[in-house]
Amino acid sequence: MKKTIITISRQFGSGGREVGEKLAKDLGIPFYDKELIEIAAKESGMDPELFVEDDTRTSLGFHLIGALGYSLGGPLSTITELSLNDRLYLVQSQVIEQVAQEGPCVIVGRCADYVLSDRDDVLNVYIHANMNDRIKRAVHSYEVDERNVEDSIHKIDKRRANYYEYYTDRKWGRAENYDLSINTSTFDVDGAVQIIKDVIKD
Amino acid sequence: MKKTIITISRQFGSGGREVGEKLAKDLGIPFYDKELIEIAAKESGMDPELFVEDDTRTSLGFHLIGALGYSLGGPLSTITELSLNDRLYLVQSQVIEQVAQEGPCVIVGRCADYVLSDRDDVLNVYIHANMNDRIKRAVHSYEVDERNVEDSIHKIDKRRANYYEYYTDRKWGRAENYDLSINTSTFDVDGAVQIIKDVIKD
């Protein structure tokens, strides 16, 4: 099955977002990241309340039971107990499912690999880098305070890991979650883009 | 720096050893796995006792302090307290350093990625696969008892993880330890070989 939808998970400062943007540009397909998915969710006018009464029949309900049921150690008794964050996750997941349904695209973050795990046209990529390069990128591209930069990087990674592990039954950063994991300290951003283009072209 | 030495770490049943063998054959370079490194260590006649008196000046001593000192939560007081396993690790590490020094090669397992971490001509690859494919390979290629095959796979992985984590300061299976991680359920063995050949040819 040809892989036309690429999800990218990434360590903070690894250049993963840049890999995703360049890849989408090179392939001439849409690019979605956290901000764009949030905007799309808002613009869609989707109300999380809509899902409440009919949870078992939507794929979102399925993801929710799968993800939260697992994380919380048992099935949810009522879906109305969802927090605002959980509802946001649901709406964003539906946006991800919709954009994937519309055709080839690149999606960065938001557990897209997990949300789309039932599709077989998805390539899941993890982008990481050595700490020294992540520090340089964090200071240069994200203007993180140089004095506490390594601490900041660890905190952001931890937030991403917590988010991922809360909504999925997987450990963030483990190679086995992905089809391909690439170190941009070895291959740099352009090298990573090339590797991905090579593996999906067949 | 051109990568001419390839280390392969792998989940049991992922086909990682096969990837290494095919890659070495295609590139026309030597292939080393656990058994071959053990034989080489024995044939070398190297006596682990040789390292005892001069630990701080050998790179093996360095690895040992780095690895065991970290694992045991503090520096070793005397290196003569080493277990047989630790001595075996030291001799095998020296064999790995020697074969790497001799020229391009493929090395599977034995923490070769960690042992060779000071060299910049090494590409570290992790090979993994989905559980269903690992079960098929374990039953077919390794004749693991079909009834308890998933249990056996978990146990062997756990043994590999323990070995890796005891001798290094890293978590086995985390993408960040490697330059490249490849899922053979997505790309199969030949696909993984091709990806590695493509990334080292530049």
Side-chain angles (χ1 to χ4, degrees):
Chain A
M1 179 64 161
K2 199 164 159 53
K3 310 285 188 187
T4 58
I5 295 157
I6 297 109
T7 77
I8 294 184
S9 308
R10 75 289 180 220
Q11 287 184 321
F12 180 69
S14 67
R17 193 183 182 286
E18 210 182 329
V19 169
E21 279 183 302
K22 285 200 177 185
L23 181 68
K25 200 177 163 198
D26 282 6
L27 297 173
I29 60 177
F31 169 80
Y32 301 96
D33 65 357
K34 180 184 164 183
E35 285 69 32
L36 287 170
I37 289 168
E38 279 176 6
I39 291 167
K42 274 182 200 152
E43 285 181 352
S44 75
M46 280 190 288
D47 182 348
E49 296 288 335
L50 289 175
F51 306 178
V52 172
E53 295 185 82
D54 194 19
D55 62 283
T56 53
R57 271 178 285 156
T58 65
S59 61
L60 284 170
F62 174 79
H63 278 305
L64 186 79
I65 299 289
L68 300 187
Y70 187 92
S71 298
L72 302 173
L76 292 170
S77 51
T78 63
I79 215 144
T80 47
E81 286 168 13
L82 293 178
S83 72
L84 187 63
N85 279 344
D86 292 344
R87 292 177 188 209
L88 198 62
Y89 173 79
L90 287 182
V91 177
Q92 290 183 358
S93 298
Q94 195 168 65
V95 168
I96 289 169
E97 290 187 338
Q98 275 177 359
V99 299
Q101 197 54 37
E102 283 163 16
C105 61
V106 177
I107 307 170
V108 172
R110 302 291 94 186
C111 306
D113 57 317
Y114 183 76
V115 173
L116 300 176
S117 54
D118 288 340
R119 298 182 67 109
D120 52 9
D121 55 354
V122 179
L123 182 82
N124 298 309
V125 180
Y126 182 71
I127 300 290
H128 53 97
N130 301 348
M131 184 52 80
N132 281 351
D133 293 322
R134 297 171 65 196
I135 288 174
K136 280 184 214 153
R137 194 174 273 109
V139 173
H140 181 262
S141 305
Y142 297 96
E143 295 172 8
V144 175
D145 184 343
E146 218 160 329
R147 284 165 303 184
N148 306 312
V149 61
E150 197 164 337
D151 257 10
S152 303
I153 289 174
H154 282 305
K155 272 184 196 144
I156 296 171
D157 272 358
K158 207 166 179 179
R159 209 156 60 213
R160 288 183 184 175
N162 285 347
Y163 184 86
Y164 189 78
E165 289 167 19
Y166 180 73
Y167 288 114
T168 76
D169 51 356
R170 303 170 180 178
K171 282 273 176 200
W172 189 72
R174 286 197 67 83
E176 65 205 35
N177 300 333
Y178 311 99
D179 298 303
L180 195 62
S181 303
I182 306 172
N183 187 337
T184 52
S185 295
T186 310
F187 300 107
D188 78 30
V189 166
D190 289 337
V193 171
Q194 191 57 52
I195 294 171
I196 300 169
K197 280 161 67 180
D198 283 345
V199 303
I200 59 172
K201 76 163 185 271
D202 301 324
Chain B
M1 180 64 162
K2 199 162 158 56
K3 310 286 188 187
T4 57
I5 295 157
I6 297 110
T7 77
I8 294 184
S9 309
R10 74 290 181 220
Q11 287 183 321
F12 180 68
S14 67
R17 192 182 183 286
E18 209 182 328
V19 169
E21 280 183 302
K22 285 197 178 188
L23 181 67
K25 199 177 164 198
D26 282 6
L27 297 173
I29 61 178
F31 169 80
Y32 301 95
D33 65 359
K34 181 184 164 184
E35 283 70 32
L36 287 170
I37 290 168
E38 280 177 4
I39 290 167
K42 276 184 200 152
E43 285 181 353
S44 74
M46 280 189 290
D47 182 349
E49 296 287 336
L50 291 174
F51 306 8
V52 172
E53 293 183 83
D54 194 18
D55 61 285
T56 54
R57 272 179 285 157
T58 64
S59 61
L60 283 171
F62 174 79
H63 278 305
L64 186 80
I65 298 290
L68 299 187
Y70 186 93
S71 298
L72 302 174
L76 291 170
S77 52
T78 62
I79 215 145
T80 46
E81 286 168 14
L82 293 178
S83 71
L84 187 63
N85 279 342
D86 293 343
R87 293 178 186 208
L88 197 62
Y89 172 80
L90 287 181
V91 177
Q92 290 183 357
S93 297
Q94 197 171 62
V95 169
I96 289 169
E97 289 184 339
Q98 275 177 359
V99 299
Q101 197 53 39
E102 284 163 15
C105 61
V106 177
I107 307 170
V108 171
R110 301 291 94 187
C111 306
D113 57 317
Y114 183 76
V115 173
L116 300 176
S117 54
D118 289 340
R119 299 181 68 107
D120 52 9
D121 56 352
V122 179
L123 183 83
N124 298 309
V125 180
Y126 182 71
I127 300 290
H128 53 97
N130 302 348
M131 185 49 81
N132 280 350
D133 293 322
R134 298 171 65 196
I135 288 174
K136 278 184 215 154
R137 194 174 274 107
V139 172
H140 181 263
S141 306
Y142 297 95
E143 295 173 9
V144 175
D145 184 343
E146 217 160 330
R147 285 164 303 182
N148 305 313
V149 61
E150 199 164 335
D151 258 11
S152 303
I153 288 173
H154 283 304
K155 272 183 195 144
I156 296 170
D157 272 358
K158 209 165 177 177
R159 209 155 60 212
R160 288 183 184 175
N162 285 348
Y163 184 86
Y164 188 78
E165 289 165 21
Y166 181 74
Y167 287 113
T168 78
D169 51 356
R170 304 172 178 176
K171 282 272 175 200
W172 190 71
R174 286 198 66 84
E176 65 206 35
N177 300 334
Y178 312 98
D179 299 302
L180 195 63
S181 304
I182 306 172
N183 187 337
T184 51
S185 294
T186 310
F187 300 108
D188 76 32
V189 165
D190 289 335
V193 171
Q194 191 57 51
I195 293 171
I196 300 168
K197 280 162 63 180
D198 283 345
V199 304
I200 58 171
K201 77 165 183 271
D202 300 326

